[in-house]
């Protein structure tokens, strides 16, 4: 089991909130569950996403603080609570703070958070994990069909993006009576310069197609996907297929990294993480961004 809560800030909207995720591992994970390492399991064996609570739509956000808990799937709530109580009584002066044992814990926050404010921040993240552990909600957006944008490429290689009719009908409820669907056309060279199918560029596309509907509302409707005329998936937001962790330094999405693969190389070697969204490779889990924000 891997539980994680991040306090997130969205530079695009100014929103702040806590996103929490619960992952299950089953019996195939290569983890010593008698003493799971909270600095390793989230990066290399995060498990499969089971439930989540999302307050701030993912993508392009900054991590202000995070709390990770790792333990065997069968670990009781009482055992996790006791481990968090022991951790809470420890010194938060040196971050990230780590507790090892049958329940592993890791907590960190940005440098700007005063030491005397760290216990309260830990409590806020813990409360969200406790709620997710005791009463996991039905994940609403993951159970919905995403809003679909159809992409077409003309003979002169101009690319157009247009919401499908079912997506338009669903959006009318939240977009307001004055909203009129539009089509966005992009020249090939502009599309390539913007790396159109990576990271937050898809969110920018959605903002242009539906300018008066916020990202959180789009998320509640199931997110978005871009398909070609044959229905082949080109891009999606949020990433539904990810079972990753961390923070991608290229496309700025959370929980999209998977750990060391032999075919992934970086100059200098060392541990490697690859983003399941944009395909970029980095030599750390990206959560250090929180300490530099």
């Amino acid at each position: 089991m891997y539980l994680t809560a991040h306090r997130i800030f969205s530079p695009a909207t100014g929103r702040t909130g806590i996103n929490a995720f619960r992952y299950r591992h089953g019996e195939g994970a290569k983890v010593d569950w008698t003493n799971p390492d909270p600095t390793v399991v989230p990066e290399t064996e995060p498990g499969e996403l089971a439930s989540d609570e999302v307050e701030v739509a993912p993508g392009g956000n900054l991590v202000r603080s995070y709390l990770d808990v790792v333990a065997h799937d069968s670990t009781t709530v009482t055992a996790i609570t006791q481990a968090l109580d022991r951790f809470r009584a420890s010194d938060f002066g040196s971050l990230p703070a780590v507790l090892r044992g049958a329940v592993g814990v890791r907590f960190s926050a940005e440098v700007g958070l005063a030491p005397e404010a760290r216990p309260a921040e830990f409590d806020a993240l813990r409360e969200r994990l406790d709620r997710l552990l005791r009463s996991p909600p039905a994940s609403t957006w993951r159970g919905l069909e995403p809003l679909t944008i159809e992409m077409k490429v003309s003979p002169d290689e101009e690319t157009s993006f247009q919401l499908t009719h079912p997506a338009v009908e669903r959006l009318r409820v939240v977009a307001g009576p004055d909203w009129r669907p539009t089509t966005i056309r992009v020249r090939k060279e502009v599309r390539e310069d913007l790396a159109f199918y990576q990271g937050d560029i898809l969110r920018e596309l959605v903002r242009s197609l539906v300018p008066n509907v916020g990202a959180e509302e789009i998320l509640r409707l199931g997110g978005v996907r871009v398909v070609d005329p044959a229905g082949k998936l080109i891009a999606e937001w949020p990433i539904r297929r990810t079972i990753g962790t961390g923070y991608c330094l290229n496309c700025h999405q959370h929980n999209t990294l998977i750990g060391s693969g032999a075919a992934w190389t970086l100059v200098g070697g060392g541990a490697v993480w690859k983003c399941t969204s944009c395909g970029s490779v980095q030599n750390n889990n990206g959560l250090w961004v929180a300490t530099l924000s």
Side-chain angles (χ1 to χ4, degrees):
M1 179 194 315
Y2 166 42
L3 298 165
T4 184
H6 298 168
R7 185 178 294 279
I8 300 299
F9 170 72
S10 169
T13 65
R15 286 178 57 87
T16 297
I18 297 176
N19 292 348
F21 305 88
R22 180 184 183 181
Y23 298 80
R24 293 194 184 98
H25 286 82
E27 298 304 320
K30 299 177 181 178
V31 178
D32 176 9
W33 291 116
T34 64
N35 187 25
D37 190 341
T39 70
V40 174
V41 173
E43 280 74 30
T44 62
E45 291 278 353
E48 182 176 354
L49 185 64
S51 58
D52 60 18
E53 280 193 7
V54 176
E55 289 186 348
V56 179
N61 302 323
L62 299 177
V63 180
R64 297 302 195 196
S65 62
Y66 65 90
L67 173 61
D68 293 336
V69 176
V70 294
H72 191 271
D73 287 346
S74 63
T75 306
T76 64
V77 174
T78 299
I80 293 174
T81 299
Q82 290 173 347
L84 289 170
D85 286 343
R86 291 196 303 274
F87 190 86
R88 178 66 168 77
S90 65
D91 180 13
F92 290 129
S94 178
L95 296 179
V98 175
L99 173 72
R100 295 292 301 273
V103 177
V105 183
R106 176 174 61 171
F107 167 71
S108 192
E110 60 186 346
V111 171
L113 185 67
E116 59 269 21
R118 291 170 184 171
E121 183 65 9
F122 171 84
D123 289 343
L125 297 175
R126 174 181 176 171
E127 186 276 332
R128 187 56 51 83
L129 287 189
D130 186 68
R131 190 167 73 195
L132 192 63
L133 185 62
R134 295 175 185 273
S135 304
S139 187
T140 53
W141 70 267
R142 292 179 190 277
L144 297 174
E145 183 76 6
L147 301 166
T148 300
I149 299 169
E150 188 174 77
M151 180 197 78
K152 295 180 180 178
V153 181
S154 66
D156 61 359
E157 297 192 327
E158 179 183 73
T159 304
S160 65
F161 300 89
Q162 185 175 26
L163 288 159
T164 62
H165 179 71
V168 169
E169 293 305 306
R170 290 170 62 191
L171 280 164
R172 287 192 189 281
V173 178
V174 295
D178 297 328
W179 175 63
R180 296 291 181 272
T182 187
T183 299
I184 295 177
R185 294 180 173 83
V186 182
R187 299 192 310 274
K188 177 185 177 182
E189 59 271 22
V190 174
R191 185 191 71 206
E192 292 176 346
D193 288 345
L194 292 177
F196 219 104
Y197 309 122
Q198 297 185 9
D200 281 0
I201 301 303
L202 178 54
R203 292 183 67 185
E204 293 298 332
L205 172 63
V206 173
R207 291 189 187 106
S208 299
L209 287 169
V210 197
N212 58 335
V213 178
E216 282 70 33
E217 190 63 47
I218 294 292
L219 186 65
R220 282 190 286 271
L221 288 171
V224 293
R225 66 182 174 193
V226 178
V227 301
D228 67 12
K232 178 183 177 182
L233 179 67
I234 303 300
E236 61 182 347
W237 174 85
I239 305 299
R240 289 169 176 262
R241 63 185 177 275
T242 181
I243 54 171
T245 185
Y247 177 77
C248 178
L249 302 177
N250 181 58
C251 69
H252 308 295
Q253 297 199 65
H254 299 279
N255 301 306
T256 61
L257 302 183
I258 54 178
S260 302
W264 312 335
T265 58
L266 283 176
V267 175
V272 175
W273 286 263
K274 184 175 182 179
C275 179
T276 59
S277 174
C278 69
S280 66
V281 174
Q282 60 194 59
N283 63 0
N284 58 75
N285 66 6
L287 293 177
W288 61 271
V289 171
T291 67
L292 298 180
S293 300

